[in-house]
């Protein structure tokens, strides 16, 4: 379809994982479909992602003889929501919907050419459910865009939607806005408008309004303005579950570069997937690191196994084991002047960070990275030395302060009492070599909650009534709350698929 039409069956706003999943589903149902993206490239926050997706009853689980069920998955997600501290507010019907549908979404993506490795174990799931797209989450963007466009969909980039248009009966019947060149546009939507505008991580105004006590933190994706929240609220939509703390820690890095994007073409993902499954990690990690995003997040295992967290001066500033991890301590870190932080540990902790479940971070393609992987492939964020002075020097910290911090901490460990921050489980940092992992920074990766929706992904108003013609998906919808690794992408892709199936049933 080459022409830009004034009317479509379905208008999708936003070209990340959620919008593109809706796009591919809509064209496969023969809906006349347009997707509008405000940036000059597709991908949104999705191109920053590692690419893990948690799902049950998948063909990959079957292939590996893993028996699973929706009930078991749902029960484990409830446990995960308890750990995250959100069990009470979590929408159980949407969580159940996720448990039922995520596996179908994953198999569908697989049919469209997204290659996954795994599944891998992931706490608190009783069986392996974390599947990883190879080489990275960019595969979702490339494959879904390719499928939708090949089958007649239309994507318009640099089209920023600024208004939802309602008909006389209040039904959302179209959108309007301006292109990057300032030209106005208006599109009618006969069957529905799908809002897939992603998280509001970079919109400090909305964050301050919706998260009580929010302290400014930088977003990983500076273009994640959460426009859908404002667009939908203007016509009476209700926001829900936005109060959840979202600041966490990430190593800095880069998103998938040009070569990484090319690696999602043709049969290359199959080849990479095969290599990852059959070759030693030392070889495959080299490929994956070069192709993918490096915005990984340090796991709590480093702290639980004896590490401490220090600020940009070299001092401790928090009880490192405060829960929920990492939100409780990341929030404290946002008030620091120097926000580059480091994890410090000794060889006894290092000896533990070598195999599941003591991973250093999740990682594109290979699911989990351990200390060896960081020593080989992320030399930019790890230093190892027999002396604190050298570590301090390599990381631009004050050697005196670092040494004093360790001495003080070790004196607390000797009497089993952290007189500064009340940490329990104290182990002295005394056996060389010592390791400094960082810098990590407190950042907003994604946001939780958003526009309230029902199980059909229809937006709800403050009275809980359906706003006809309006569907909200992915981040920015108050979905099931993404309580487990791999659920953000899982929800974005699943809600994208389901929103169109709902439109199909309604029409
Ligand atoms: C570093 C990092 C790693 C992550 N790793 C994982 C992971 O491994 N697994 C996982 O499950 N989750 C992960 N996530 C979270 C995941 O990336 C997001 O939850 C997911 O990408 C959200 O998809 P989305 O389609 O809802 O939003 P997005 O991908 O942000 O897409 C929204 C799109 O809408 C466009 N848009 C916004 N406003 C407008 C407008 N007014 N008009 C037109 N277009 C508009 C945006 O430009 C954007 O392209 C990670 C996130 C980060 C930052």
């Amino acid at each position: 379809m080459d022409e830009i039409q004034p009317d479509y069956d379905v208008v999708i706003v936003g070209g990340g994982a959620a919008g593109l999943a809706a796009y591919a589903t809509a064209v496969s149902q023969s809906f006349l479909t347009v997707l509008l993206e405000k940036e000059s490239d597709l991908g949104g926050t999705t191109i920053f992602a590692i690419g893990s997706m948690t799902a049950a009853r998948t063909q990959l689980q079957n292939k590996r003889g893993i028996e699973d069920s929706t009930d078991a998955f749902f029960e484990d997600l409830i446990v995960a929501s308890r750990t995250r501290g959100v069990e009470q507010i979590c929408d159980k019907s949407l969580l159940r919907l996720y448990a039922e549908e995520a596996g179908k979404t994953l198999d569908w993506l697989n049919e469209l050419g997204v290659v996954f490795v795994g599944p891998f174990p992931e706490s608190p799931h009783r069986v392996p459910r974390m599947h990883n797209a190879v080489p990275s989450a960019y595969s979702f963007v490339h494959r879904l865009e390719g499928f939708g466009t090949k089958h007649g969909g239309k994507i318009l980039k640099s089209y920023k939607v600024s208004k939802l248009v309602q008909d006389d009966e209040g039904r959302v019947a179209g959108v309007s806005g301006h292109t990057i060149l300032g030209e106005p546009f208006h599109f009618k939507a006969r069957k529905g408008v799908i809002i897939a505008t992603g998280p509001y991580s970079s919109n400090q105004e909305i964050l301050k309004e919706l998260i009580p006590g929010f302290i400014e933190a930088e977003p990983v994706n500076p273009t994640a303005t959460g426009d859908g929240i404002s667009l939908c609220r203007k016509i009476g939509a209700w926001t829900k579950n936005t109060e959840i703390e979202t600041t966490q820690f990430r190593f800095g890095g880069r998103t998938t570069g040009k070569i990484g994007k090319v690696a999602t073409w043709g049969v290359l993902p199959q080849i990479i997937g095969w290599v990852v499954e059959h070759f030693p990690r030392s070889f495959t990690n080299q490929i994956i690191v070069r192709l993918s995003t490096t915005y990984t997040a340090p796991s709590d295992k480093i702290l639980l196994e004896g590490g401490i967290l220090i600020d940009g001066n070299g001092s401790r500033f928090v009880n490192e084991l405060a829960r929920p991890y990492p939100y409780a301590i990341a929030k404290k870190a946002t008030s620091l002047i120097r926000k580059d932080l480091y994890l410090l540990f000794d060889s006894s902790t290092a000896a533990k960070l070598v195999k599941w479940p003591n991973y250093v971070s999740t990682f594109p393609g290979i699911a989990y990275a351990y200390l060896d992987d960081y020593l080989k492939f992320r030399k930019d964020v790890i230093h190892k030395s027999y002396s604190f002075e050298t570590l301090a020097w390599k990381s631009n910290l004050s050697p005196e302060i670092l040494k004093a911090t360790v001495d003080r901490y070790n004196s607390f460990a000797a009497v089993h009492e952290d007189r500064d921050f009340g940490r329990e489980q104290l182990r002295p940092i005394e056996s060389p070599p010592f390791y400094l992992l960082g810098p990590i920074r407190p950042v907003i990766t994604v946001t939780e909650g958003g526009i309230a929706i029902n199980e059909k992904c229809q937006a709800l108003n403050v009275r809980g009534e359906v706003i006809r013609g309006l569907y909200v998906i992915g981040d920015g919808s108050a979905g099931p709350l993404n309580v487990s690794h791999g659920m953000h992408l899982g929800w974005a892709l699943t809600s994208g698929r389901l929103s169109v199936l709902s439109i199909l049933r309604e029409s």
Side-chain angles (χ1 to χ4, degrees):
M1 192 212 309
D2 292 330
E3 295 294 308
I4 299 179
Q5 323 257 339
D7 298 1
Y8 288 87
D9 292 327
V10 177
V11 174
I12 300 162
V13 186
L20 286 165
Y23 175 66
T25 311
V27 296
S28 69
Q29 298 301 332
S30 305
F31 286 149
L32 196 59
T33 306
V34 68
L35 183 151
L36 308 171
E37 167 56 51
K38 75 176 162 95
E39 300 294 322
S40 53
D41 279 322
L42 296 174
T45 306
T46 304
I47 57 162
F48 289 81
I50 308 279
S52 58
M53 179 170 166
T54 294
R57 296 167 63 217
T58 65
Q59 284 171 16
L60 273 170
Q61 279 184 321
N62 278 346
K63 209 169 127 189
R64 285 170 178 62
I66 298 164
E67 282 184 30
D68 207 352
S69 71
T70 301
D71 286 346
F73 189 21
F74 178 64
E75 282 167 20
D76 292 348
L77 289 174
I78 294 283
V79 175
S81 72
R82 203 168 299 146
T83 312
R84 177 77 162 89
V86 296
E87 186 186 1
Q88 296 310 320
I89 59 168
C90 188
D91 185 325
K92 306 295 178 304
S93 57
L94 290 179
L95 203 62
R96 176 95 206 169
L97 181 71
Y98 182 82
E100 177 73 41
E101 293 290 337
K104 294 179 202 165
T105 307
L106 195 136
D107 288 346
W108 168 70
L109 289 162
N110 205 208
E111 279 165 29
L112 296 190
V114 178
V115 176
F116 292 92
V117 291
F120 300 93
E122 158 74 351
S123 177
H125 297 282
R126 67 191 76 181
V127 291
R129 291 183 179 129
M130 195 170 87
H131 302 64
N132 272 57
V134 287
S136 70
Y138 188 76
S139 283
F140 299 124
V141 177
H142 177 65
R143 293 291 163 165
L144 291 166
E145 176 194 8
F147 176 87
T149 304
K150 183 172 165 196
H151 291 88
K154 180 95 192 153
I155 291 184
L156 298 173
K157 296 177 193 168
S158 304
Y159 274 61
K160 181 173 173 168
V161 172
S162 55
K163 190 172 175 209
L164 297 175
V165 180
Q166 290 173 284
D167 65 16
D168 295 343
E169 287 158 10
R171 187 178 188 283
V172 175
V175 302
S176 59
H178 285 83
T179 67
I180 201 167
L181 299 173
E183 293 152 358
F185 64 79
H186 174 83
F187 293 109
K188 283 189 189 155
R190 284 185 285 265
K191 295 182 191 295
V193 170
I194 301 177
I195 298 294
T197 48
Y200 43 99
S201 329
S202 74
N203 193 325
Q204 301 286 327
E205 209 177 296
I206 298 187
L207 286 162
K208 276 184 201 147
E209 183 204 331
L210 298 180
I211 304 179
F214 174 77
I215 303 172
E216 220 159 283
E218 59 187 84
V220 173
N221 174 11
T223 70
T225 47
D227 295 9
I229 304 271
S230 321
L231 290 170
C232 296
R233 279 165 120 197
K234 269 188 208 147
I235 62 159
W238 169 39
T239 51
K240 204 176 139 189
N241 290 348
T242 49
E243 67 275 25
I244 300 164
E245 193 54 64
T246 54
T247 308
Q248 50 166 278
F249 296 114
R250 293 271 163 180
F251 296 106
R254 52 156 209 274
T255 54
T256 302
K258 270 193 192 135
I259 301 176
K261 288 182 178 172
V262 170
T264 62
W265 293 3
V267 292
L268 287 173
Q270 269 95 333
I271 296 171
I272 296 167
W274 189 85
V275 169
V276 168
E277 302 271 8
H278 293 89
F279 278 68
R281 289 173 62 90
S282 53
F283 177 72
T284 54
N285 291 12
Q286 278 201 56
I287 304 178
I288 295 292
V289 169
R290 287 196 173 93
L291 298 181
S292 309
T293 174
T294 51
Y295 284 98
T296 52
S299 86
D300 60 347
K301 314 294 177 199
I302 306 160
L303 299 167
L304 288 167
E305 292 299 335
I308 60 171
L309 184 62
I310 57 170
D311 64 17
N313 294 317
S315 306
R316 286 179 71 220
F317 63 96
V318 73
N319 170 0
E320 293 88 348
L321 304 186
R323 285 288 182 255
Y325 178 86
Y327 308 99
I329 52 179
K331 185 164 187 185
K332 288 248 178 213
T334 50
S335 350
L336 297 170
I337 294 170
R338 292 183 64 181
K339 295 187 178 59
D340 280 346
L341 312 174
Y342 296 87
L343 295 143
L344 175 70
F345 51 92
D346 69 5
S347 63
S348 61
T349 298
K352 300 273 176 49
L353 302 174
V354 290
K355 60 175 191 220
W356 170 260
N358 292 334
Y359 57 94
V360 169
S361 74
T362 57
F363 218 77
I366 53 169
Y368 297 108
Y370 298 93
L371 192 60
D372 268 2
D373 300 314
Y374 271 77
L375 284 166
K376 277 192 204 121
F377 306 118
R378 286 302 311 265
K379 291 190 175 118
D380 54 326
V381 292
I382 189 156
H383 299 300
K384 174 182 173 184
S385 173
Y386 282 78
S387 90
F388 292 115
E389 286 72 18
T390 312
L391 279 187
W393 175 76
K394 284 184 176 170
S395 314
N396 230 358
L397 299 170
S398 152
E400 293 78 25
I401 298 179
L402 185 65
K403 181 74 175 52
T405 299
V406 175
D407 288 347
R408 188 169 171 81
Y409 180 75
N410 285 350
S411 72
F412 294 157
V415 294
H416 306 290
E417 186 186 355
D418 175 6
R419 291 182 186 146
D420 287 339
F421 303 107
R423 169 176 174 159
E424 291 172 355
Q425 276 183 289
L426 302 162
R427 273 184 238 158
I429 299 177
E430 60 186 4
S431 51
F434 306 105
Y435 298 80
L436 205 56
L437 193 55
I440 54 172
R441 285 182 71 81
V443 289
I444 306 187
T445 45
V446 284
T447 47
E448 294 293 349
I451 300 298
I453 55 166
N454 63 15
E455 287 158 66
K456 294 176 180 168
C457 301
Q458 291 170 305
L460 304 176
N461 66 19
V462 283
R463 291 183 297 280
E465 298 156 350
V466 166
I467 300 175
R468 286 187 310 120
L470 184 62
Y471 298 76
V472 187
I473 57 176
D475 289 357
S477 68
L481 288 185
N482 302 307
V483 290
S484 179
H485 276 143
M487 258 186 95
H488 273 101
L489 282 171
W491 172 246
L493 295 155
T494 299
S495 57
R497 207 187 107 238
L498 294 181
S499 59
V500 175
L501 298 182
S502 299
I503 292 176
L504 184 68
R505 278 192 293 269
E506 299 283 310
S507 48

